């Protein structure tokens, strides 16, 4: 976990800063409506907040994936010498004739 701690801290700071900045832009533009007549800054604030949340989720996914890969036991694959499959021997090979005609 120590190897991924730097990446986890970076993701946490970047996404946290983005969420705070996005929320501040959203709150200022939404409540001070004289400054923002078309609500463009409101949409920008929401987009920054959602983008920061997406960055956080992707970063967590990468950290968890790397942890799973590093903790997986990797060894030689051992195949059993004998199998429990019983082979059936056919006494006679019979060929069946199939018709290709269809009836109604």
């Amino acid at each position: 976990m120590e190897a991924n701690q730097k990446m986890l801290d970076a993701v946490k700071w970047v996404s946290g800063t983005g969420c705070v900045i996005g929320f501040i832009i959203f709150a200022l533009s939404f409540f001070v409506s004289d400054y923002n007549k078309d609500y463009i800054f409101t949409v920008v604030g929401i987009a920054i907040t959602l983008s920061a949340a997406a960055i956080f989720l992707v970063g967590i996914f990468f950290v968890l994936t790397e942890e799973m890969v590093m903790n997986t036991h990797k060894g030689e694959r051992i195949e059993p010498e004998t199998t429990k499959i019983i082979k059936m021997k056919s006494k006679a090979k019979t060929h069946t004739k199939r018709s290709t005609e269809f009836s109604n």
Side-chain angles (χ1 to χ4, degrees), residues 21 44-45 47 57 66 92:
I21 290 172
V44 169
L57 290 176
E66 190 170 348

Side-chain angles (χ1 to χ4, degrees), residues 39-95:
Y39 295 105
I40 298 229
F41 287 119
T42 305
V43 174
V44 169
I46 291 172
I48 290 172
T49 305
L50 291 178
S51 298
I55 289 170
F56 180 74
L57 290 176
V58 169
I60 293 295
F61 175 75
F62 284 150
V63 169
L64 290 176
T65 304
E66 190 170 348
E67 279 291 321
M68 290 297 291
V69 168
M70 297 306 281
N71 290 334
T72 303
H73 177 69
K74 295 179 179 109
E76 293 183 17
R77 184 179 175 119
I78 300 172
E79 295 183 15
E81 294 178 8
T82 60
T83 61
K84 294 182 180 180
I85 299 174
I86 300 172
K87 295 183 180 179
M88 302 293 287
K89 295 181 182 179
S90 62
K91 295 181 180 177
K93 292 184 179 179
T94 58
H95 295 286

Side-chain angles (χ1 to χ4, degrees), residues 9-48:
D9 288 339
V11 166
K12 186 170 47 175
W13 278 103
V14 168
S15 62
T17 305
C19 278
V20 168
I21 290 172
F23 183 73
I24 289 171
I25 291 172
F26 170 75
L28 286 176
S29 65
F30 190 71
F31 295 119
V32 184
S33 60
D34 291 338
Y35 182 68
N36 186 17
K37 297 194 186 235
D38 293 333
Y39 295 105
I40 298 229
F41 287 119
T42 305
V43 174
V44 169
I46 291 172
I48 290 172

